[in-house]
């Protein structure tokens, strides 16, 4: 069976090998007589799935030992509240607003922090550039500084995480890496906490990944729900309440798939990064070389994962999407707040899928230009 290429921004494509394995094990996981959805989260079968997933993720992302890996629920949006509930200490928090997601995050934080300062913003440029960290002025005594390291809707991505200590700022950096986790390495020396929903690059919706430095645990506000107190979750190995067992299992299969990947002498995340660079280059070059399509993001801020683009003649949008679907190129419609098209090129998208998209775009241009 050849499946169409799915460019959804999320929930997004999952590698076929992962889906096939999950299907094969659906009714009977490893001779246990149970499917994973039917198992106690405290039984030895699920504990082994959980421990393997955590160990594989720690290895893949080179997560240092002083960081806890938490498997939570509620998605990126819940983390917009859970982070200030745990880290704000009801004080001042800083945000850099680079698009829709960081905008949402700073609004939500206002419910919990005494003061929210947007210390830099790309809004004046329509979120087509990233404010230069060298010009940021973090607030004195801020509890943390939040960025969205890849803006899924606007298509801007930090190519390097900001070095807050280099700016004379001791506050921990919080990153929302929902839509580019596992697409490239993370410089943990610059991070205090990273969070992301699984449904972009790791597995099914319903699982939220939080990776947090140990010294940031134990400062939750009294109003923080126990199930969302990072220290409680960490002390209970993500099993204070029933964790999203299916999500952890499928993410675990994805981690094993990632470990098997090879590209240009690299493996794992480094291999994915090589492939993701090649995929993004292929699509951006095709857009830039045409008179028919346009991407408005500054070249050094362009996301490797989410590529919004426009037809210069927007009256052809529906025809473009209909033709794409006929070719097996799915879910290319842009986010309603931005319009146009968006191609999400997560890890599960092979180079051949991007080539098929580029071929279609050229053909559509020739017919319609
Ligand atoms: C998708 C996304 C979210 C929202 O995730 P939910 O799981 O829907 O809450 C937050 N931040 C970023 C960067 C995202 O891409």
């Amino acid at each position: 069976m050849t499946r169409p290429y799915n460019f959804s921004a999320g929930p997004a494509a999952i590698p076929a090998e992962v889906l096939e394995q999950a299907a094969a094990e659906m009714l009977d996981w490893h001779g246990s007589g149970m499917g994973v959805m039917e198992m106690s989260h405290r039984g030895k079968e699920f504990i082994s799935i959980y421990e393997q997933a955590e160990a594989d993720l720690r290895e893949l992302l080179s997560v240092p030992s002083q960081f806890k890996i938490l498997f939570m629920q509620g998605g990126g949006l819940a983390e917009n509240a859970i982070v200030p509930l745990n880290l704000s200490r009801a004080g001042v928090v800083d945000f850099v607003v680079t698009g829709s997601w960081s905008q949402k995050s700073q609004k939500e934080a206002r419910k919990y922090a005494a003061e929210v300062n947007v210390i830099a913003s790309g809004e004046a440029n329509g979120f087509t550039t990233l404010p230069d960290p060298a010009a940021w002025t973090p607030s004195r005594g801020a509890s943390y500084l939040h960025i969205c390291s890849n803006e899924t809707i606007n298509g801007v991505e930090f190519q390097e995480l900001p070095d807050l200590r280099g700016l004379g700022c001791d506050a921990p950096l919080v990153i929302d890496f929902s839509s580019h986790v596992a697409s490239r390495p993370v410089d943990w020396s610059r991070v205090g906490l990273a969070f992301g929903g699984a449904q972009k690059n790791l597995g099914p919706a319903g699982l939220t990944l939080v990776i947090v430095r140990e010294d940031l645990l134990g400062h939750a506000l009294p109003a923080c729900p126990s199930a969302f107190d990072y220290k409680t979750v960490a002390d209970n190995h993500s099993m204070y309440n029933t964790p999203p067992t299916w999500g952890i299992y499928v993410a675990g299969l994805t981690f094993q798939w990632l470990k098997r990947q090879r590209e240009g002498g690299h493996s794992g995340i480094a291999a994915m990064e090589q492939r993701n660079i090649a995929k993004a280059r292929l699509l951006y070059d095709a857009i830039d070389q045409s008179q028919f399509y346009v991407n408005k993001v500054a070249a050094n801020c362009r996301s490797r994962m989410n590529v919004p683009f426009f037809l210069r003649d927007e009256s052809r949008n529906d025809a473009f999407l209909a033709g794409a679907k006929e070719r097996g190129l799915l879910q290319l419609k842009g986010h309603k707040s931005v319009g146009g098209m968006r191609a999400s090129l997560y890890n599960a998208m092979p180079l051949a899928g991007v080539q098929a998209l580029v071929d279609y775009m050229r053909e559509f241009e020739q017919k319609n230009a």
Side-chain angles (χ1 to χ4, degrees), residues 6-13 101 150-155 178-180 197-203 305-308 330-336 341-346 349:
N6 181 351
F7 294 89
S8 172
W101 289 114
N150 181 64
E151 288 279 1
T152 321
I153 293 173
N154 306 83
S178 296
S179 52
H180 72 166
Q199 71 271 25
K200 314 293 167 60
N201 222 1
L202 301 179
M305 293 285 99
N306 308 101
V307 183
L330 305 183
Q331 306 206 71
L332 282 161
K333 191 173 176 154
H335 189 271
K336 60 186 185 303
M341 308 296 154
R342 173 173 50 171
S344 294
L345 314 180
Y346 299 125
M349 176 60 62

Side-chain angles (χ1 to χ4, degrees), residues 9-10 74-80 101-102 105 148-153 176-179 195-200 205-208 306 346:
L77 284 189
E79 290 303 322
N80 286 343
W101 289 114
S102 45
S105 301
C148 177
S149 44
N150 181 64
E151 288 279 1
T152 321
I153 293 173
D176 173 357
F177 69 168
S178 296
S179 52
F195 71 81
Q199 71 271 25
K200 314 293 167 60
L207 167 65
T208 315
N306 308 101
Y346 299 125

Side-chain angles (χ1 to χ4, degrees), residues 61-131:
L61 289 184
S62 303
V63 180
S65 58
Q66 74 271 28
F67 283 78
K68 296 283 189 194
I69 295 177
L70 311 180
F71 295 118
M72 299 182 66
Q73 302 181 62
L77 284 189
E79 290 303 322
N80 286 343
I82 297 170
V83 170
L85 277 163
N86 277 274
L87 264 52
S88 73
R89 307 185 193 209
V92 180
V93 297
D94 283 348
F95 281 77
V96 174
V97 173
T98 53
S100 305
W101 289 114
S102 45
Q103 188 71 278
K104 274 202 172 127
S105 301
Q106 65 89 12
K107 280 192 186 141
E108 184 75 2
R110 288 173 196 274
K111 293 184 180 176
Y112 307 102
E115 194 180 323
V116 172
N117 292 326
V118 174
I119 63 156
S121 170
E123 192 163 13
N125 297 327
F127 298 126
T128 56
T129 61
L130 290 166

Side-chain angles (χ1 to χ4, degrees), residues 107-291:
K107 280 192 186 141
E108 184 75 2
R110 288 173 196 274
K111 293 184 180 176
Y112 307 102
E115 194 180 323
V116 172
N117 292 326
V118 174
I119 63 156
S121 170
E123 192 163 13
N125 297 327
F127 298 126
T128 56
T129 61
L130 290 166
D132 179 4
W136 298 358
T137 49
S139 307
R140 192 181 288 272
S143 300
Y144 63 86
L145 189 154
H146 175 121
I147 65 168
C148 177
S149 44
N150 181 64
E151 288 279 1
T152 321
I153 293 173
N154 306 83
V156 294
E157 178 175 19
F158 283 87
Q159 301 305 322
E160 191 186 347
L161 292 176
D163 174 12
L164 297 190
R165 251 173 285 142
L167 294 173
C169 171
D170 293 330
L173 178 71
V174 170
I175 64 171
D176 173 357
F177 69 168
S178 296
S179 52
H180 72 166
V181 54
S183 71
R184 58 194 300 154
V186 176
D187 181 353
W188 293 105
S189 73
R190 297 189 170 181
V191 174
L193 182 147
F195 71 81
Q199 71 271 25
K200 314 293 167 60
N201 222 1
L202 301 179
L207 167 65
T208 315
L209 174 66
V210 176
I211 302 180
V212 55
R213 225 171 55 207
E214 257 164 7
D215 63 284
L216 300 175
L217 302 176
H219 304 286
L221 303 180
C224 181
S226 304
F228 291 158
D229 180 331
Y230 292 140
K231 181 160 187 345
T232 304
V233 178
D235 287 349
N236 289 281
H237 303 282
S238 301
M239 299 209 193
Y240 172 73
N241 65 329
T242 311
T245 52
W246 175 254
I248 292 169
Y249 161 70
V250 178
L253 297 182
T254 307
F255 302 153
Q256 285 167 21
W257 178 82
L258 284 168
K259 286 175 73 175
R260 294 195 297 272
Q261 300 309 300
R262 299 284 180 276
E263 194 72 50
H266 299 277
S267 66
I269 301 299
M272 293 321 304
E273 182 175 41
Q274 293 306 309
R275 212 176 282 168
N276 289 328
I277 289 171
K279 281 151 51 185
R281 184 176 298 147
L282 179 58
L283 181 52
Y284 283 116
D285 282 353
I287 294 168
D288 290 344
Q289 286 159 13
S290 100
Q291 298 300 310

